[in-house]
mmCIF file of all heavy atoms in Angstrom:
data_model
loop_
_atom_site.group_PDB
_atom_site.id
_atom_site.type_symbol
_atom_site.label_atom_id
_atom_site.label_comp_id
_atom_site.label_asym_id
_atom_site.label_seq_id
_atom_site.Cartn_x
_atom_site.Cartn_y
_atom_site.Cartn_z
ATOM 1 N N PHE A 1 39.274 51.761 -35.042
ATOM 2 C CA PHE A 1 40.615 51.778 -34.446
ATOM 3 C C PHE A 1 41.003 50.433 -33.830
ATOM 4 O O PHE A 1 42.014 49.834 -34.208
ATOM 5 C CB PHE A 1 40.729 52.892 -33.405
ATOM 6 C CG PHE A 1 41.996 52.823 -32.601
ATOM 7 C CD1 PHE A 1 43.230 53.010 -33.207
ATOM 8 C CD2 PHE A 1 41.960 52.547 -31.245
ATOM 9 C CE1 PHE A 1 44.408 52.926 -32.480
ATOM 10 C CE2 PHE A 1 43.128 52.466 -30.505
ATOM 11 C CZ PHE A 1 44.350 52.656 -31.123
ATOM 12 N N PHE A 2 40.234 49.947 -32.873
ATOM 13 C CA PHE A 2 40.612 48.688 -32.224
ATOM 14 C C PHE A 2 40.499 47.489 -33.158
ATOM 15 O O PHE A 2 41.380 46.611 -33.146
ATOM 16 C CB PHE A 2 39.825 48.478 -30.932
ATOM 17 C CG PHE A 2 40.360 49.278 -29.779
ATOM 18 C CD1 PHE A 2 39.575 50.241 -29.150
ATOM 19 C CD2 PHE A 2 41.659 49.103 -29.328
ATOM 20 C CE1 PHE A 2 40.067 50.994 -28.094
ATOM 21 C CE2 PHE A 2 42.164 49.847 -28.273
ATOM 22 C CZ PHE A 2 41.362 50.799 -27.655
ATOM 23 N N PRO A 3 39.447 47.378 -33.997
ATOM 24 C CA PRO A 3 39.441 46.283 -34.975
ATOM 25 C C PRO A 3 40.669 46.297 -35.890
ATOM 26 O O PRO A 3 41.223 45.238 -36.200
ATOM 27 C CB PRO A 3 38.151 46.547 -35.767
ATOM 28 C CG PRO A 3 37.256 47.196 -34.776
ATOM 29 C CD PRO A 3 38.153 48.090 -33.971
ATOM 30 N N LYS A 4 41.092 47.474 -36.293
ATOM 31 C CA LYS A 4 42.286 47.568 -37.139
ATOM 32 C C LYS A 4 43.533 47.143 -36.368
ATOM 33 O O LYS A 4 44.427 46.484 -36.919
ATOM 34 C CB LYS A 4 42.453 49.002 -37.647
ATOM 35 C CG LYS A 4 43.612 49.181 -38.621
ATOM 36 C CD LYS A 4 43.682 50.603 -39.156
ATOM 37 C CE LYS A 4 42.542 50.893 -40.090
ATOM 38 N NZ LYS A 4 42.682 52.218 -40.747
ATOM 39 N N LEU A 5 43.574 47.478 -35.085
ATOM 40 C CA LEU A 5 44.731 47.113 -34.264
ATOM 41 C C LEU A 5 44.858 45.595 -34.147
ATOM 42 O O LEU A 5 45.969 45.058 -34.131
ATOM 43 C CB LEU A 5 44.593 47.760 -32.882
ATOM 44 C CG LEU A 5 45.857 47.865 -32.028
ATOM 45 C CD1 LEU A 5 46.950 48.660 -32.741
ATOM 46 C CD2 LEU A 5 45.508 48.525 -30.690
ATOM 47 N N THR A 6 43.718 44.905 -34.085
ATOM 48 C CA THR A 6 43.772 43.439 -33.971
ATOM 49 C C THR A 6 44.362 42.785 -35.217
ATOM 50 O O THR A 6 44.830 41.650 -35.161
ATOM 51 C CB THR A 6 42.366 42.839 -33.736
ATOM 52 O OG1 THR A 6 41.544 43.052 -34.889
ATOM 53 C CG2 THR A 6 41.720 43.433 -32.511
ATOM 54 N N GLN A 7 44.326 43.475 -36.342
ATOM 55 C CA GLN A 7 44.834 42.917 -37.594
ATOM 56 C C GLN A 7 46.358 42.990 -37.707
ATOM 57 O O GLN A 7 46.928 42.404 -38.625
ATOM 58 C CB GLN A 7 44.214 43.663 -38.778
ATOM 59 C CG GLN A 7 42.707 43.576 -38.848
ATOM 60 C CD GLN A 7 42.126 44.522 -39.891
ATOM 61 O OE1 GLN A 7 42.827 45.013 -40.764
ATOM 62 N NE2 GLN A 7 40.833 44.782 -39.802
ATOM 63 N N GLN A 8 46.987 43.696 -36.787
ATOM 64 C CA GLN A 8 48.428 43.926 -36.885
ATOM 65 C C GLN A 8 49.208 42.768 -36.261
ATOM 66 O O GLN A 8 48.923 42.340 -35.141
ATOM 67 C CB GLN A 8 48.801 45.240 -36.191
ATOM 68 C CG GLN A 8 47.938 46.435 -36.589
ATOM 69 C CD GLN A 8 47.861 46.640 -38.076
ATOM 70 O OE1 GLN A 8 48.876 46.687 -38.784
ATOM 71 N NE2 GLN A 8 46.642 46.790 -38.590
ATOM 72 N N SER A 9 50.205 42.301 -37.001
ATOM 73 C CA SER A 9 51.010 41.176 -36.513
ATOM 74 C C SER A 9 51.824 41.550 -35.277
ATOM 75 O O SER A 9 52.230 40.675 -34.511
ATOM 76 C CB SER A 9 51.945 40.690 -37.623
ATOM 77 O OG SER A 9 52.847 41.722 -38.010
ATOM 78 N N GLN A 10 52.070 42.841 -35.073
ATOM 79 C CA GLN A 10 52.857 43.285 -33.916
ATOM 80 C C GLN A 10 52.078 43.155 -32.603
ATOM 81 O O GLN A 10 52.660 43.259 -31.523
ATOM 82 C CB GLN A 10 53.302 44.742 -34.099
ATOM 83 C CG GLN A 10 54.247 44.974 -35.267
ATOM 84 C CD GLN A 10 53.521 45.299 -36.554
ATOM 85 O OE1 GLN A 10 52.346 44.980 -36.716
ATOM 86 N NE2 GLN A 10 54.216 45.936 -37.475
ATOM 87 N N VAL A 11 50.778 42.980 -32.699
ATOM 88 C CA VAL A 11 49.932 42.838 -31.511
ATOM 89 C C VAL A 11 49.609 41.367 -31.288
ATOM 90 O O VAL A 11 48.863 40.751 -32.059
ATOM 91 C CB VAL A 11 48.631 43.662 -31.660
ATOM 92 C CG1 VAL A 11 47.726 43.456 -30.453
ATOM 93 C CG2 VAL A 11 48.949 45.149 -31.847
ATOM 94 N N ASP A 12 50.183 40.801 -30.260
ATOM 95 C CA ASP A 12 49.942 39.391 -29.939
ATOM 96 C C ASP A 12 48.619 39.190 -29.208
ATOM 97 O O ASP A 12 47.918 38.199 -29.438
ATOM 98 C CB ASP A 12 51.077 38.847 -29.065
ATOM 99 C CG ASP A 12 52.364 38.643 -29.854
ATOM 100 O OD1 ASP A 12 52.310 38.689 -31.104
ATOM 101 O OD2 ASP A 12 53.417 38.433 -29.228
ATOM 102 N N ASN A 13 48.328 40.096 -28.290
ATOM 103 C CA ASN A 13 47.097 40.005 -27.496
ATOM 104 C C ASN A 13 46.512 41.401 -27.318
ATOM 105 O O ASN A 13 47.241 42.358 -27.084
ATOM 106 C CB ASN A 13 47.366 39.415 -26.113
ATOM 107 C CG ASN A 13 47.955 38.024 -26.168
ATOM 108 O OD1 ASN A 13 49.157 37.852 -26.022
ATOM 109 N ND2 ASN A 13 47.117 37.020 -26.409
ATOM 110 N N LEU A 14 45.184 41.476 -27.426
ATOM 111 C CA LEU A 14 44.484 42.728 -27.157
ATOM 112 C C LEU A 14 43.445 42.476 -26.086
ATOM 113 O O LEU A 14 42.578 41.607 -26.227
ATOM 114 C CB LEU A 14 43.801 43.259 -28.419
ATOM 115 C CG LEU A 14 42.973 44.536 -28.237
ATOM 116 C CD1 LEU A 14 43.867 45.708 -27.827
ATOM 117 C CD2 LEU A 14 42.200 44.883 -29.504
ATOM 118 N N TYR A 15 43.558 43.219 -24.991
ATOM 119 C CA TYR A 15 42.607 43.138 -23.883
ATOM 120 C C TYR A 15 41.739 44.393 -23.935
ATOM 121 O O TYR A 15 42.251 45.506 -23.800
ATOM 122 C CB TYR A 15 43.338 43.059 -22.550
ATOM 123 C CG TYR A 15 44.335 41.922 -22.477
ATOM 124 C CD1 TYR A 15 45.677 42.123 -22.795
ATOM 125 C CD2 TYR A 15 43.928 40.644 -22.102
ATOM 126 C CE1 TYR A 15 46.598 41.082 -22.734
ATOM 127 C CE2 TYR A 15 44.844 39.595 -22.036
ATOM 128 C CZ TYR A 15 46.171 39.820 -22.354
ATOM 129 O OH TYR A 15 47.071 38.791 -22.311
ATOM 130 N N LEU A 16 40.436 44.222 -24.131
ATOM 131 C CA LEU A 16 39.536 45.363 -24.264
ATOM 132 C C LEU A 16 38.579 45.429 -23.077
ATOM 133 O O LEU A 16 37.935 44.429 -22.719
ATOM 134 C CB LEU A 16 38.736 45.254 -25.564
ATOM 135 C CG LEU A 16 39.377 45.869 -26.817
ATOM 136 C CD1 LEU A 16 38.512 45.596 -28.034
ATOM 137 C CD2 LEU A 16 39.599 47.359 -26.644
ATOM 138 N N PHE A 17 38.485 46.611 -22.497
ATOM 139 C CA PHE A 17 37.662 46.840 -21.315
ATOM 140 C C PHE A 17 36.537 47.821 -21.630
ATOM 141 O O PHE A 17 36.748 48.831 -22.302
ATOM 142 C CB PHE A 17 38.505 47.416 -20.178
ATOM 143 C CG PHE A 17 39.513 46.465 -19.627
ATOM 144 C CD1 PHE A 17 40.700 46.224 -20.300
ATOM 145 C CD2 PHE A 17 39.270 45.779 -18.452
ATOM 146 C CE1 PHE A 17 41.641 45.331 -19.805
ATOM 147 C CE2 PHE A 17 40.199 44.873 -17.947
ATOM 148 C CZ PHE A 17 41.381 44.654 -18.624
ATOM 149 N N ASP A 18 35.349 47.535 -21.125
ATOM 150 C CA ASP A 18 34.265 48.511 -21.169
ATOM 151 C C ASP A 18 33.228 48.133 -20.128
ATOM 152 O O ASP A 18 33.036 46.942 -19.838
ATOM 153 C CB ASP A 18 33.628 48.572 -22.558
ATOM 154 C CG ASP A 18 33.038 49.950 -22.847
ATOM 155 O OD1 ASP A 18 31.973 50.275 -22.276
ATOM 156 O OD2 ASP A 18 33.645 50.715 -23.617
ATOM 157 N N ILE A 19 32.575 49.147 -19.576
ATOM 158 C CA ILE A 19 31.585 48.894 -18.536
ATOM 159 C C ILE A 19 30.208 48.584 -19.119
ATOM 160 O O ILE A 19 29.340 48.049 -18.442
ATOM 161 C CB ILE A 19 31.493 50.106 -17.579
ATOM 162 C CG1 ILE A 19 30.659 49.770 -16.336
ATOM 163 C CG2 ILE A 19 30.931 51.320 -18.304
ATOM 164 C CD1 ILE A 19 31.189 48.604 -15.521
ATOM 165 N N ALA A 20 30.003 48.910 -20.402
ATOM 166 C CA ALA A 20 28.692 48.724 -21.018
ATOM 167 C C ALA A 20 28.676 47.461 -21.876
ATOM 168 O O ALA A 20 29.422 47.365 -22.853
ATOM 169 C CB ALA A 20 28.338 49.944 -21.880
ATOM 170 N N PRO A 21 27.831 46.490 -21.557
ATOM 171 C CA PRO A 21 27.771 45.261 -22.364
ATOM 172 C C PRO A 21 27.510 45.535 -23.847
ATOM 173 O O PRO A 21 28.058 44.846 -24.709
ATOM 174 C CB PRO A 21 26.608 44.485 -21.727
ATOM 175 C CG PRO A 21 26.560 44.971 -20.316
ATOM 176 C CD PRO A 21 26.941 46.422 -20.384
ATOM 177 N N ILE A 22 26.710 46.541 -24.144
ATOM 178 C CA ILE A 22 26.396 46.841 -25.539
ATOM 179 C C ILE A 22 27.642 47.272 -26.313
ATOM 180 O O ILE A 22 27.754 47.017 -27.510
ATOM 181 C CB ILE A 22 25.288 47.923 -25.638
ATOM 182 C CG1 ILE A 22 24.747 47.988 -27.070
ATOM 183 C CG2 ILE A 22 25.789 49.280 -25.167
ATOM 184 C CD1 ILE A 22 23.506 48.865 -27.207
ATOM 185 N N GLN A 23 28.594 47.911 -25.623
ATOM 186 C CA GLN A 23 29.820 48.343 -26.280
ATOM 187 C C GLN A 23 30.731 47.149 -26.608
ATOM 188 O O GLN A 23 31.342 47.102 -27.676
ATOM 189 C CB GLN A 23 30.570 49.349 -25.411
ATOM 190 C CG GLN A 23 29.879 50.694 -25.283
ATOM 191 C CD GLN A 23 29.795 51.432 -26.606
ATOM 192 O OE1 GLN A 23 30.709 51.374 -27.420
ATOM 193 N NE2 GLN A 23 28.697 52.132 -26.824
ATOM 194 N N ILE A 24 30.819 46.199 -25.697
ATOM 195 C CA ILE A 24 31.616 44.997 -25.955
ATOM 196 C C ILE A 24 30.991 44.182 -27.081
ATOM 197 O O ILE A 24 31.687 43.701 -27.988
ATOM 198 C CB ILE A 24 31.760 44.167 -24.669
ATOM 199 C CG1 ILE A 24 32.612 44.932 -23.648
ATOM 200 C CG2 ILE A 24 32.373 42.802 -24.981
ATOM 201 C CD1 ILE A 24 32.773 44.239 -22.325
ATOM 202 N N LYS A 25 29.679 44.064 -27.049
ATOM 203 C CA LYS A 25 28.970 43.346 -28.117
ATOM 204 C C LYS A 25 29.217 44.016 -29.468
ATOM 205 O O LYS A 25 29.430 43.336 -30.483
ATOM 206 C CB LYS A 25 27.471 43.314 -27.800
ATOM 207 C CG LYS A 25 26.642 42.569 -28.825
ATOM 208 C CD LYS A 25 25.164 42.571 -28.429
ATOM 209 C CE LYS A 25 24.317 41.848 -29.469
ATOM 210 N NZ LYS A 25 22.872 41.866 -29.087
ATOM 211 N N GLN A 26 29.210 45.338 -29.469
ATOM 212 C CA GLN A 26 29.369 46.072 -30.723
ATOM 213 C C GLN A 26 30.764 45.905 -31.309
ATOM 214 O O GLN A 26 30.929 45.699 -32.512
ATOM 215 C CB GLN A 26 29.069 47.554 -30.481
ATOM 216 C CG GLN A 26 28.988 48.402 -31.734
ATOM 217 C CD GLN A 26 27.761 48.106 -32.580
ATOM 218 O OE1 GLN A 26 26.843 47.417 -32.140
ATOM 219 N NE2 GLN A 26 27.761 48.616 -33.805
ATOM 220 N N VAL A 27 31.790 46.004 -30.480
ATOM 221 C CA VAL A 27 33.149 45.898 -31.017
ATOM 222 C C VAL A 27 33.432 44.476 -31.506
ATOM 223 O O VAL A 27 34.166 44.281 -32.477
ATOM 224 C CB VAL A 27 34.194 46.364 -29.981
ATOM 225 C CG1 VAL A 27 34.427 45.308 -28.903
ATOM 226 C CG2 VAL A 27 35.516 46.716 -30.652
ATOM 227 N N LYS A 28 32.826 43.484 -30.869
ATOM 228 C CA LYS A 28 33.010 42.095 -31.308
ATOM 229 C C LYS A 28 32.478 41.879 -32.725
ATOM 230 O O LYS A 28 32.998 41.046 -33.468
ATOM 231 C CB LYS A 28 32.311 41.132 -30.354
ATOM 232 C CG LYS A 28 33.046 40.889 -29.041
ATOM 233 C CD LYS A 28 32.298 39.874 -28.203
ATOM 234 C CE LYS A 28 33.061 39.502 -26.945
ATOM 235 N NZ LYS A 28 32.320 38.513 -26.124
ATOM 236 N N LYS A 29 31.448 42.633 -33.098
ATOM 237 C CA LYS A 29 30.883 42.508 -34.449
ATOM 238 C C LYS A 29 31.882 42.901 -35.525
ATOM 239 O O LYS A 29 31.764 42.467 -36.671
ATOM 240 C CB LYS A 29 29.637 43.393 -34.582
ATOM 241 C CG LYS A 29 28.449 42.986 -33.748
ATOM 242 C CD LYS A 29 27.313 43.965 -33.971
ATOM 243 C CE LYS A 29 26.098 43.642 -33.120
ATOM 244 N NZ LYS A 29 25.014 44.639 -33.315
ATOM 245 N N LYS A 30 32.861 43.720 -35.151
ATOM 246 C CA LYS A 30 33.788 44.279 -36.140
ATOM 247 C C LYS A 30 35.113 43.535 -36.199
ATOM 248 O O LYS A 30 36.009 43.939 -36.939
ATOM 249 C CB LYS A 30 34.022 45.766 -35.817
ATOM 250 C CG LYS A 30 32.769 46.612 -35.927
ATOM 251 C CD LYS A 30 33.032 48.070 -35.575
ATOM 252 C CE LYS A 30 33.249 48.258 -34.097
ATOM 253 N NZ LYS A 30 33.421 49.676 -33.734
ATOM 254 N N ILE A 31 35.238 42.468 -35.420
ATOM 255 C CA ILE A 31 36.481 41.695 -35.389
ATOM 256 C C ILE A 31 36.162 40.259 -35.793
ATOM 257 O O ILE A 31 35.272 39.637 -35.213
ATOM 258 C CB ILE A 31 37.113 41.716 -33.980
ATOM 259 C CG1 ILE A 31 37.352 43.159 -33.508
ATOM 260 C CG2 ILE A 31 38.425 40.937 -33.971
ATOM 261 C CD1 ILE A 31 37.809 43.266 -32.067
ATOM 262 N N PRO A 32 36.862 39.707 -36.777
ATOM 263 C CA PRO A 32 36.595 38.320 -37.184
ATOM 264 C C PRO A 32 36.717 37.351 -36.001
ATOM 265 O O PRO A 32 37.592 37.525 -35.131
ATOM 266 C CB PRO A 32 37.686 38.055 -38.233
ATOM 267 C CG PRO A 32 38.036 39.412 -38.762
ATOM 268 C CD PRO A 32 37.918 40.345 -37.589
ATOM 269 N N GLN A 33 35.866 36.346 -35.992
ATOM 270 C CA GLN A 33 35.840 35.411 -34.873
ATOM 271 C C GLN A 33 37.185 34.721 -34.667
ATOM 272 O O GLN A 33 37.620 34.490 -33.532
ATOM 273 C CB GLN A 33 34.749 34.358 -35.089
ATOM 274 C CG GLN A 33 34.557 33.440 -33.892
ATOM 275 C CD GLN A 33 34.148 34.179 -32.636
ATOM 276 O OE1 GLN A 33 33.216 34.983 -32.666
ATOM 277 N NE2 GLN A 33 34.826 33.896 -31.516
ATOM 278 N N GLN A 34 37.875 34.393 -35.749
ATOM 279 C CA GLN A 34 39.173 33.733 -35.627
ATOM 280 C C GLN A 34 40.182 34.641 -34.925
ATOM 281 O O GLN A 34 40.997 34.172 -34.119
ATOM 282 C CB GLN A 34 39.710 33.345 -37.004
ATOM 283 C CG GLN A 34 41.036 32.575 -36.947
ATOM 284 C CD GLN A 34 41.512 32.152 -38.321
ATOM 285 O OE1 GLN A 34 40.852 32.404 -39.327
ATOM 286 N NE2 GLN A 34 42.658 31.481 -38.383
ATOM 287 N N VAL A 35 40.125 35.924 -35.219
ATOM 288 C CA VAL A 35 41.023 36.890 -34.557
ATOM 289 C C VAL A 35 40.665 37.005 -33.079
ATOM 290 O O VAL A 35 41.544 37.049 -32.212
ATOM 291 C CB VAL A 35 40.943 38.271 -35.248
ATOM 292 C CG1 VAL A 35 41.790 39.299 -34.491
ATOM 293 C CG2 VAL A 35 41.395 38.164 -36.693
ATOM 294 N N ILE A 36 39.364 37.031 -32.792
ATOM 295 C CA ILE A 36 38.932 37.063 -31.387
ATOM 296 C C ILE A 36 39.467 35.849 -30.641
ATOM 297 O O ILE A 36 40.014 35.961 -29.542
ATOM 298 C CB ILE A 36 37.395 37.124 -31.300
ATOM 299 C CG1 ILE A 36 36.886 38.492 -31.776
ATOM 300 C CG2 ILE A 36 36.923 36.848 -29.867
ATOM 301 C CD1 ILE A 36 35.375 38.597 -31.825
ATOM 302 N N ASP A 37 39.333 34.678 -31.254
ATOM 303 C CA ASP A 37 39.783 33.446 -30.611
ATOM 304 C C ASP A 37 41.292 33.432 -30.389
ATOM 305 O O ASP A 37 41.777 32.907 -29.378
ATOM 306 C CB ASP A 37 39.394 32.237 -31.470
ATOM 307 C CG ASP A 37 37.885 32.041 -31.551
ATOM 308 O OD1 ASP A 37 37.170 32.593 -30.690
ATOM 309 O OD2 ASP A 37 37.437 31.347 -32.481
ATOM 310 N N ASN A 38 42.028 34.014 -31.321
ATOM 311 C CA ASN A 38 43.487 33.939 -31.271
ATOM 312 C C ASN A 38 44.138 34.985 -30.384
ATOM 313 O O ASN A 38 45.182 34.727 -29.777
ATOM 314 C CB ASN A 38 44.073 34.064 -32.681
ATOM 315 C CG ASN A 38 43.802 32.840 -33.528
ATOM 316 O OD1 ASN A 38 43.532 31.762 -33.005
ATOM 317 N ND2 ASN A 38 43.857 33.001 -34.841
ATOM 318 N N LYS A 39 43.554 36.178 -30.312
ATOM 319 C CA LYS A 39 44.300 37.241 -29.635
ATOM 320 C C LYS A 39 43.498 38.217 -28.788
ATOM 321 O O LYS A 39 44.089 39.124 -28.198
ATOM 322 C CB LYS A 39 45.122 38.033 -30.655
ATOM 323 C CG LYS A 39 44.320 38.795 -31.702
ATOM 324 C CD LYS A 39 45.216 39.773 -32.490
ATOM 325 C CE LYS A 39 46.278 39.093 -33.297
ATOM 326 N NZ LYS A 39 47.096 40.055 -34.090
ATOM 327 N N CYS A 40 42.188 38.059 -28.669
ATOM 328 C CA CYS A 40 41.390 39.062 -27.955
ATOM 329 C C CYS A 40 40.772 38.510 -26.672
ATOM 330 O O CYS A 40 40.342 37.361 -26.633
ATOM 331 C CB CYS A 40 40.272 39.592 -28.847
ATOM 332 S SG CYS A 40 40.828 40.458 -30.325
ATOM 333 N N GLN A 41 40.737 39.345 -25.672
ATOM 334 C CA GLN A 41 39.972 39.074 -24.460
ATOM 335 C C GLN A 41 39.185 40.324 -24.112
ATOM 336 O O GLN A 41 39.686 41.442 -24.236
ATOM 337 C CB GLN A 41 40.885 38.684 -23.293
ATOM 338 C CG GLN A 41 41.554 37.343 -23.457
ATOM 339 C CD GLN A 41 42.285 36.906 -22.207
ATOM 340 O OE1 GLN A 41 41.778 37.012 -21.101
ATOM 341 N NE2 GLN A 41 43.503 36.407 -22.381
ATOM 342 N N PHE A 42 37.935 40.118 -23.672
ATOM 343 C CA PHE A 42 37.046 41.236 -23.370
ATOM 344 C C PHE A 42 36.651 41.189 -21.904
ATOM 345 O O PHE A 42 36.376 40.118 -21.350
ATOM 346 C CB PHE A 42 35.791 41.171 -24.252
ATOM 347 C CG PHE A 42 36.104 41.201 -25.717
ATOM 348 C CD1 PHE A 42 36.330 40.014 -26.412
ATOM 349 C CD2 PHE A 42 36.188 42.395 -26.403
ATOM 350 C CE1 PHE A 42 36.625 40.031 -27.767
ATOM 351 C CE2 PHE A 42 36.486 42.424 -27.758
ATOM 352 C CZ PHE A 42 36.709 41.242 -28.444
ATOM 353 N N PHE A 43 36.614 42.366 -21.288
ATOM 354 C CA PHE A 43 36.326 42.464 -19.857
ATOM 355 C C PHE A 43 35.200 43.472 -19.640
ATOM 356 O O PHE A 43 35.293 44.623 -20.086
ATOM 357 C CB PHE A 43 37.562 42.938 -19.091
ATOM 358 C CG PHE A 43 38.734 41.994 -19.166
ATOM 359 C CD1 PHE A 43 39.577 42.008 -20.259
ATOM 360 C CD2 PHE A 43 38.989 41.099 -18.141
ATOM 361 C CE1 PHE A 43 40.665 41.156 -20.345
ATOM 362 C CE2 PHE A 43 40.076 40.232 -18.205
ATOM 363 C CZ PHE A 43 40.912 40.259 -19.311
#
């Protein structure tokens, strides 16, 4: 769901929150690095 959302041109920025480091690490694996650099922030 969230990796697919990052691919949409209508989404300029995606801020993703999770309390578990393993969950943030896991979702990052599914999003291309260029997309992460351009529009994603993780908390």
